[in-house]
Structures are given as C-alpha cells and as structure tokens.
Amino acid sequence: MTYHFSKQYVQSFIDKEEFRRQSNKVLHGHPSPAHWKPLQEPIDFLLDERSGYAMRSEFEVNLYVGTPFCIKTKPARCGFCLFPSEDYEGNKGVERYIAYLKKEFEMYKPFYGSDTLASIYFGGGTPNLYRPEHYGQIMEYVDTLYGGVPADIEKTLEGIPQLFNEAKLRAISEAGFNRVSMGVQQLNDNLIKYSGRKQTRKQVFDAVDLCHKYNLANSMDLIYGWPEQTMDNMLQDLKDAIAAGVHHLTHYELNVAGRSDFASPKKRALLPTIETNIEMYRMANEYLHSEGFEQVTVYDWSRKANSDDDVRKASYDYEHSMHDFVDQENGEIQKTRQVCGIGYSAVNFHPNGLDSDDRSWIYMNQTSLKDYCQDIDDGKFPIGRGFMYNHQDVKLAWLFQSMQTMSINHSNYENIFHEDLLAAYAEVWNELARRQWIKITDESIEFIDKGQYYIPMLQSLIASVRLEEIRSVKKLTVSDIPVRIEATA
Ligand SMILES: C[S@@+](CC[C@H](N)C(=O)[O-])C[C@H]1O[C@@H](n2cnc3c(N)ncnc32)[C@H](O)[C@@H]1O
Ligand code: SF4
C-alpha cells in the first residue's frame, strides 16, 4: 500500500516547515529511533529468521562496534551532541566494559559466525579513549566471531583529535585499522570553546599528520551553523582541512535539538539564521567542488582519486551502507547490505527481504551502560528497542537512503518494489518541481539547490502519514509477526 498525498497537504506541509529549524539533520533514517519500541520476543527468534532469509539471497555485513565513553565537558556532551554516551571515569571502567563486549561477541557466534564482513567501524562515544593494547584486543574478538577479518576491507576507528597520540595511532594501525574518522567540528580555537572541549587546531593537524605517517585514510567531521560561526570561518576550516590532506570530509549542518546546551535560548541566539545556513551550504558546495572534492551525500565529500591508494583512502564503505542497502546491476538485484552492531547503543539493521511479505528489522542495544551490563549478566542480548518494517517501511527506508545521495533512481525503485514512484508521490514531485528543488529525468529525481538543503524536511514529508500510524502501535509482540519463513536449502 502507498499513501497518496494531496496537493494541498504537500503545500501546507512545506509552507509550515520551511522556516523552522529541522531537528533530523544527522544520520536520519526511517523511522527514527524515537518510534522504536521494546521488543517482546527473544531476539534469537529474529536471528534464526534472519538465517532463513540469508539462504534465499546474498548479503554483506558492515560491522559496527560501540563505545560508551566520552571525556566530560562543560557544557555536558560537548554542548551539541545528541548521541548516547557515558562519562569516562578511568581505565578500570573501560576494561570492565571490554570484558562485557567480549561476552556479547561470543553470544553472536551461532548467528553471525558464517557471515562475510564488508567493513568494520568502531564508533561512539570516543573509541580513541582506549589504551594502545585495547585496539588489538577488540579486533581479536571480531576475528574470533567471524573466523577471520578480510585484510582488504575498510576498518575505521572514530575519535577526537586531542586523544590521537603517536603510540595510539601506531597501535591502531597495528591492530589492522586502515582509516580514522576524526570529529573536529571547528578548527577555530575560539569557536570550538563553545563545546567545552579542550581541543586546539594544532592538535587536529598533528593528528592528521600522524595518520599520514601510519598510512591511515583520514576523514574529518566539520559542522556548519555553529554559534557565532561566519561564512569566512567555515570556508577557512574547509580550506585548512583540505590543505592538511584529508581524504574524506563530513560537513554536517548543526542539529539543534533536545536538552543540549546549544538548544538553550542563550545559545540559540548565537546561531546563524536558516537563510545563512542555506547560504553556507551553497558556498561550501561551490568551494569543495572547486577543490576537486566529489559530493556523495548531502554531507559527505570525497577527495578525487589519482591512484588506487587514493581510491581506497577516499572510500567510506561503512557509511555507504547507510545510504544504499540494495545493490543492483542492469536492473538485477545483486545483494543487500546489513549492519550488525555490537556494544553499547549499537544498531542492527537487517533488511532481510524486499518482497511484500518479507520481514525486516532494526534494533538498538541498550543506551544505558548499566542496563547493557545487566542484560549480559542475565544471559540476554542487551537490546533496548527496535522496529519491524512492513513493506511500506522498507520502501520508505530505501527512499530515505536514496535521498541522502540527492538523487532517487526511480527505475531502480520500480525494479525493486514493482511500483511507479513518479505516480505514487505525484503531488510531491509536482510541488518540488514547481519550486525548482528537483529535476526529473528518465531515470531519476535529482535534488537541486535548496531542494538538497531541505532533504531532511522532505524525508519527513513523505513519511508523515506512515509515522502517524506507527505512533499508534504500542509494543511489538509475536502477534504483530505475520509470517515466519523457513530456511530453504
Ligand atoms: C557521535 S560523534 C562521535 C565521534 C567523536 N566522539 C566526536 O565527537 O568527534 C560523530 C559525529 O556526529 C556529529 N554530530 C554529533 N552531534 C551533532 C549535532 N547535534 N549536529 C551536527 N552534527 C553532530 C559530529 O560531527 C561528530 O563528529
Ligand atoms: S560529540 Fe563526540 S565526544 Fe562529544 S559527547 Fe558526542 S560522542 Fe562524545
């Protein structure tokens, strides 16, 4: 079933939202975790089911390993961060957590043991809080679970600049990592102070130099729309990051939401206006294009490659799995991508099948360290909440991911879901074309100019009716589960 939107509904939705700050700017999928519910079933049931699907079609696995800890800041959580984390209280807590992580890896052996890994991402929180000896130790858990880690896949470790010293980067490289993703946010020493981080631009460039020394591909996260940031500050940061030789840039718009310090009235008063943010988006795009960077999603930019080594370093397979879970060639579906998550607040995304009676799942581990450890002590998978996709949700999840890339291939959509996308959302496309936010070609819908900037709002628009329905469901129980497929040889 598809929802048809009237012209009036589309126009009034956009008119209302256009001048509001959107709060879904970073890594937004359908539906957001706010709509997930506690799962009532033992997770082994769903994992068994996944094995059944695995025998029907090919998939590859992108593994995420979560870290809870962050250095305390004032204001808390760097002032802006909306991701779950727990205060770092010393190495004892880290070692205790790693022991739990090992147990969780072992619990997955019967279910994930025969999967093939396509990429590995250690994220958080702040994984570079660990001591040098911990990186190899955790990588060994991965190796044991999957019966080996392929040498040539991407293995990323995320962290903050001031914690990347030489001993750590050597250990990270020796543990098999080949890519580092650094959350820098601002290179200007005065502006970064709003986050309460004790970070300097010198620390950032020292860390990037060390990444080059250890042949680690380097990705940098920067944020625009920051308190008191000017266009010149933003362009200077991009220029300096490029000059330092980063291979990939993530240029997020500041997401202002929740109880973060940046959402307080005092800080909001310091934020650039929405009009300025739109101008920043435009200027950053123009500048990055002129510097030979290729835009891959609304916020991801890759350095153009001149050699095989550059190609490897500019690629970002783990993040890529977040914006295309179906691989197609000449109209044929080749395989799907799954995300397996282990550790605090890690997410598992199992798009099991693409037919209307197939069941796909997403679920997230506990976002309280206490609950995470308690579940493992009780012999349970430490899962907090999740969501079972119906066929409409799978279509929306695919559309959301495509929109991140600023282009929806409507021929591909038709191949996968046997539905005419242009007809299904006709009034949406009419309104966006009228505003010159999209261009429609024989193959695709291309988001242009302001249409790109407003992608998070347009994702909310196409999901809005379905989200109303989801809000009315309380818990997911066995009775919500219509089909159970059996493994076929
Ligand atoms: C979850 S953090 C983890 C990485 C590391 N701890 C750090 O902060 O650098 C990953 C990235 O999400 C982005 N992020 C977090 N909160 C954000 C927000 N409110 N608005 C925009 N980007 C945000 C930041 O750019 C950050 O580098
Ligand atoms: S931005 Fe990074 S370091 Fe700061 S609280 Fe969030 S995860 Fe932790």
Side-chain angles (χ1 to χ4, degrees), residues 64-73 77-78 81 83-101 123-131 134 138 158-160 163 343-345 367-370 372-373:
Y64 176 91
V65 182
T67 291
F69 307 109
C70 287
I71 290 180
K72 276 188 226 173
T73 54
R77 301 217 157 104
C78 299
C81 182
F83 290 86
S85 64
E86 306 243 345
D87 287 343
Y88 172 69
E89 303 283 3
N91 189 49
K92 235 171 148 177
V94 166
E95 301 225 326
R96 181 170 175 271
Y97 172 68
I98 291 177
Y100 276 97
L101 201 54
T126 310
N128 69 334
L129 265 171
Y130 296 148
R131 291 193 173 169
H134 294 141
I138 304 174
E158 189 175 72
I160 55 172
L163 294 175
Y344 169 88
S345 91
T367 51
S368 134
L369 186 56
K370 189 164 161 275
Y372 172 82
C373 296

Side-chain angles (χ1 to χ4, degrees), residues 26 80-83 124-126 158-160 183 185 197 221 223 252-255:
V26 184
F80 63 89
C81 182
L82 305 170
F83 290 86
T126 310
E158 189 175 72
I160 55 172
Q185 328 311 350
R197 287 188 183 186
D221 296 347
I223 291 181
Y252 290 122
E253 181 181 359
L254 179 72
N255 202 11

Side-chain angles (χ1 to χ4, degrees), residues 133-364:
E133 63 272 22
H134 294 141
Y135 302 103
Q137 195 180 335
I138 304 174
M139 198 56 107
E140 222 174 276
Y141 304 157
V142 181
D143 191 275
T144 306
L145 171 57
Y146 291 95
V149 174
D152 54 346
I153 62 168
E154 177 186 288
K155 296 158 209 145
T156 306
L157 188 122
E158 189 175 72
I160 55 172
Q162 62 268 43
L163 294 175
F164 281 117
N165 60 34
E166 177 142 19
K168 268 191 204 177
L169 278 166
R170 192 184 311 116
I172 287 164
S173 155
E174 282 169 6
F177 290 94
N178 48 22
R179 182 169 176 263
V180 161
S181 173
M182 222 182 281
V184 171
Q185 328 311 350
Q186 297 294 310
L187 281 165
N188 180 299
D189 283 344
N190 286 324
L191 292 182
I192 193 67
K193 283 184 187 148
Y194 280 112
S195 69
R197 287 188 183 186
K198 294 191 172 58
Q199 171 188 314
T200 63
R201 54 185 274 125
K202 178 170 185 319
Q203 287 167 332
V204 176
F205 295 121
D206 287 350
V208 175
D209 285 347
L210 284 169
C211 287
H212 291 315
K213 178 169 173 187
Y214 288 94
N215 200 24
L216 292 156
N218 182 256
S219 175
M220 195 184 279
D221 296 347
L222 292 172
I223 291 181
Y224 71 94
W226 189 266
E228 292 207 300
Q229 187 187 29
T230 63
M231 189 72 80
D232 284 349
N233 292 136
M234 180 198 77
L235 290 171
Q236 191 63 47
D237 280 8
L238 293 174
K239 191 171 171 201
D240 294 345
I242 294 171
V246 296
H247 304 101
H248 176 259
L249 269 171
T250 311
H251 200 223
Y252 290 122
E253 181 181 359
L254 179 72
N255 202 11
V256 188
R259 292 201 205 111
S260 64
D261 180 62
F262 282 23
S264 67
K266 206 169 139 203
K267 291 285 159 56
R268 275 183 191 266
L270 302 178
L271 299 177
T273 61
I274 295 179
E275 289 72 25
T276 307
N277 279 8
I278 293 176
E279 210 37 43
M280 283 181 160
Y281 178 78
R282 283 198 182 116
M283 294 294 283
N285 279 22
E286 211 173 280
Y287 180 67
L288 289 165
H289 277 300
S290 75
E291 288 293 319
F293 271 65
E294 185 193 350
Q295 187 174 17
V296 203
T297 71
V298 180
Y299 39 69
D300 284 295
W301 293 83
S302 284
R303 189 181 279 275
K304 279 234 175 78
N306 295 317
S307 66
D308 286 353
D309 192 43
D310 286 350
V311 171
R312 173 184 76 77
K313 287 183 170 156
S315 80
Y316 62 126
D317 296 338
Y318 176 76
E319 291 95 327
H320 179 67
S321 68
M322 303 295 177
H323 58 79
D324 197 358
F325 66 82
V326 189
D327 244 13
Q328 299 192 56
E329 224 171 273
N330 305 325
E332 291 286 317
I333 297 169
Q334 305 292 317
K335 62 182 171 212
T336 55
R337 291 196 181 82
Q338 303 220 340
V339 176
C340 292
I342 296 187
Y344 169 88
S345 91
V347 170
N348 281 271
F349 176 44
H350 301 318
N352 288 324
L354 299 164
D355 294 335
S356 57
D357 55 357
D358 285 338
R359 289 154 21 84
S360 296
W361 286 90
I362 194 159
Y363 42 86
M364 187 195 260

